[in-house]
Amino acid sequence: MSDIAIKVEDLSKQYRLGVVGTGTLAHDLNRWWHRVRGNEDPYLKIGETNDRATKGSSEYVWALKDINFEVKQGEVLGIVGKNGAGKSTLLKLLSRVTSPTTGTIKAKGRIASLLEVGTGFHEELTGRENVFLNGAIMGMTKAEVRAKFDEIVAFSGTERYIDTPVKRYSSGMRVRLAFAVAAHLDPEILIVDEVLAVGDAEFQKKAIGKMQEVAKGGERTVLFVSHNMASMLNLCDNGLFMKDGQIYEQSTIKNIVDLYLKDNESLFSTSCLKDRIDRKGNQLVTYTEVKFLDENYTPVTTLLNGHKVIIELSFMRKKTLETLKKVHFSIGVNDSMDNRILLLSTDLTQQTFSSLPPEVNKVYIEVPKLQLREGAYSFTLNMRVMGETVDWVPNAGSFNVVNGDFFCTGASLPEGQGYFLVDHSFTIH
Amino acid sequence: MKEKEEDWTLVIKPKSSLFDLELKEVWRYRDLLLLFVRRDFVTFYKQTVLGPTWFFLQPVLTTIIFTFVFGRVANLSTDGIPHVVFYLSGIVLWNYFAECINKTSNIFISNANIFGKVYFPRLIMPLSVVVSNMMKFGVQFLLFIGVWIFYMVQGADIQPNAYALLFPFLLFLMAGIGLGLGMIISSMTTKYRDLTFLITFGVQLAMYASPVIYPLSTLEGKLRWVILANPMSAIIETFRYGFFGEGTFHWAYLGYSTLFCFIVMYFGTLIFNRVQRTFMDTV
């Protein structure tokens, strides 16, 4: 039992929704009155699970509810879940930014978090002074920072500017320096929240390398939160899948990622494109439906690779009788790891429609031979009129590709041997 | 079988004991305190032309105005102490106290972005305010000493005595009261913002209910207790008694201030620790 680094028991966190205002005082007094008489807090009994989409009847909501888990010493635990599943709340509780409503967290060793880098940087202070200040905020002593100072500066690559006030730094340099300080913390338990996407490509590589070094070192316990499944698989041993403030599953990272992706899929296919509100653009024209058709123009739900696919995009004008000028369409396809792998665009085919009369409200994209390997894909839609974005919907939907005998040989691409199928043949001359 | 108590180094619970002031943690983070003080001091005069001169300018100008308005125009008594040193002593002391309250009272709101991201003992923040203001006070105090010596050389009627040695204790009391009250107020402002409006204004008013611009000896009768209720009154009077040999000094008055100081410090820390655990949810 002694090798457990973090033990979380019945952890819950309740939040009150809506505006904190006049009602607060009344509730506070009521709460206090109950406590004086030795009763339980009346507001702890109510509250619902945290499902963002449905409107609940109660003002109180459980961002986390009865969480129990343990993390072993040296384990790298990946935490996945949709936005609002409670990941950030959990990390906040672990890093002691706020206190739990009920339950306890027990830990062995210092906890440091990389929730946000560069906290407490002061514009007027020099890089050197900020390194010390930031280090101290994160819990290092002056002597510890001094011992690592050269390493930190070298890692950040800002030697030349180290005695210049931070306000003269470019934003990239600032982030580099901040990350460098954070990365050289030496806590027994480290909490990392998607901070890897900082700086330019070169620095990102360095940062990920450093994280790997930390994670694979085996000594340190790391809790890692990210939406990037590829880096999850790469860095973590085990995973925790959170859903609506509760732990849905705890297992090996491979299982968790699979589960998470499957869960996401159902999300894509059930959400109706027309009603999506998380879209960008001026919305003068909006996408309403996406259909996949086979070569006979009959709608299909699963696509066969090696076969002809037609994508039908339906859209709707705000002003029904408008003739659209210079219309551009594009659809970007992501794989299950959320890597963009394909772009179908009128920019590429040089087919921007100079004019679309009011009666046209569908456009078809023809793919003569689908070259994707089997698997689940999601897509993002984009439309521009006269050069201006009118509609952009991320993760607008998903589709599945199954083996359609691409090579007409009955053979299929082995797992892990590539993402695309390309026609080819071998000859000798 | 019940699992054996393990040696957890950190246990996070919803509510901590009332008497757990987490002072050990504060001590572990002492380097941070010093760095905050340094930051405040260095950034105060960065990119200003006059630099640290600003520390002097404000008390000097206020003293000139007070000497003119209260000394010349209103002709208030100063117990025979030269007007300039009389007002300067009051202003320098009061300024320190007022700055401590004003700065600590919005600590949660002005530091919400740092507090929301990393943990360190929150108590460090108000402590750093009190200490960095002490630097500023030190500079202003030197100014006072200079003027004081000047008047003594000039042969003014000033008889310093052994009570001047109480000065470090007085400083501690001022810091303590400022810190304690500031922490209580800052804890309440996280939920009820109304208080922020009240505080700067209230501290200003409280100055008139203290012996900054008139000696306690000029007040007899009913109003006297109002002034005595102000814990700063005894501090300022004791200070003047020690440095000038004039004024009202009474151990009971100073005892009241001391008691007041310890009570607000204790409750301030208590409430502050209570609030800092969850204030991120309400701020």
Side-chain angles (χ1 to χ4, degrees), chain A residues 13 80 88 103 120 139 176 210 332-333 379 399 410 419:
Chain A
K13 176 76 186 172
V80 300
S88 305
R176 279 157 164 263
K210 180 81 191 170
V333 178
F379 56 86
F399 58 86
Y419 301 98

Side-chain angles (χ1 to χ4, degrees), chain B residues 6-280:
Chain B
E6 289 180 67
D7 49 329
W8 302 105
T9 52
L10 174 71
V11 178
I12 304 173
K13 282 181 297 196
K15 287 202 175 68
S16 61
S17 137
L18 260 184
F19 303 97
D20 183 12
L21 299 184
E22 295 175 14
L23 295 181
K24 215 188 261 173
E25 278 266 289
V26 173
W27 178 245
R28 204 163 68 71
Y29 275 83
R30 61 193 179 277
D31 280 346
L32 181 60
L33 176 72
L34 294 179
L35 282 163
F36 273 136
V37 171
R38 199 184 129 79
R39 179 195 69 177
D40 289 347
F41 201 69
V42 170
T43 54
F44 181 78
Y45 57 83
K46 277 239 170 133
Q47 282 207 0
T48 59
V49 180
L50 293 179
T53 321
W54 283 109
F55 287 133
F56 293 114
L57 226 50
Q58 193 257 349
V60 167
L61 291 177
T62 322
T63 305
I64 292 171
I65 291 167
F66 277 18
T67 311
F68 180 70
V69 176
F70 299 114
R72 292 279 155 73
V73 180
N75 220 354
L76 291 177
S77 150
T78 56
D79 265 358
I81 302 165
H83 287 184
V84 172
V85 265
F86 180 86
Y87 292 125
L88 189 59
S89 63
I91 288 163
V92 168
L93 292 182
W94 185 264
N95 267 355
Y96 175 60
F97 170 72
E99 283 269 299
C100 283
I101 288 213
N102 286 338
K103 286 262 175 65
T104 37
S105 65
N106 60 10
I107 234 149
F108 279 122
I109 294 168
S110 57
N111 291 297
N113 67 328
I114 296 188
F115 284 178
K117 285 169 194 158
V118 282
Y119 171 83
F120 53 87
R122 306 311 193 205
L123 218 47
I124 291 285
M125 266 312 187
L127 283 175
S128 82
V129 168
V130 170
V131 177
S132 56
N133 273 319
M134 214 175 270
M135 303 280 212
K136 195 171 151 192
F137 172 76
V139 175
Q140 296 183 351
F141 184 70
L142 285 180
L143 169 75
F144 164 77
I145 292 292
V147 177
W148 181 65
I149 291 174
F150 172 78
Y151 272 90
M152 267 208 294
V153 172
Q154 294 282 305
D157 182 24
I158 296 175
Q159 284 117 22
N161 51 49
Y163 287 104
L165 295 178
L166 279 174
F167 170 67
F169 179 62
L170 297 180
L171 183 61
F172 167 78
L173 286 186
M174 285 193 295
I177 297 173
L179 179 69
L181 286 178
M183 285 194 298
I184 294 175
I185 296 159
S186 68
S187 307
M188 286 158 87
T189 44
T190 57
K191 258 192 182 171
Y192 312 109
R193 292 281 169 95
D194 318 44
L195 277 169
T196 4
F197 303 114
L198 200 72
I199 219 57
T200 356
F201 175 62
V203 170
Q204 219 162 36
L205 282 188
M207 187 185 82
Y208 293 97
S210 80
V212 170
I213 42 183
Y214 43 82
L216 188 60
S217 59
T218 56
L219 280 178
E220 290 301 338
K222 279 186 180 165
L223 275 174
R224 201 179 157 90
W225 71 266
V226 176
I227 308 296
L228 281 176
N230 186 337
M232 277 299 287
S233 299
I235 296 171
I236 295 173
E237 281 295 323
T238 310
F239 181 84
R240 285 198 184 131
Y241 185 71
F243 279 83
F244 306 132
E246 285 293 335
T248 319
F249 172 75
H250 206 297
W251 283 110
Y253 296 162
L254 198 59
Y256 163 73
S257 296
T258 312
L259 189 67
F260 190 90
C261 171
F262 280 105
I263 291 177
V264 289
M265 271 225 290
Y266 181 72
F267 281 102
T269 319
L270 216 69
I271 298 174
F272 189 86
N273 271 338
R274 217 353 109 81
V275 168
Q276 58 96 351
R277 301 174 65 82
T278 52
F279 92 100
M280 272 321 293

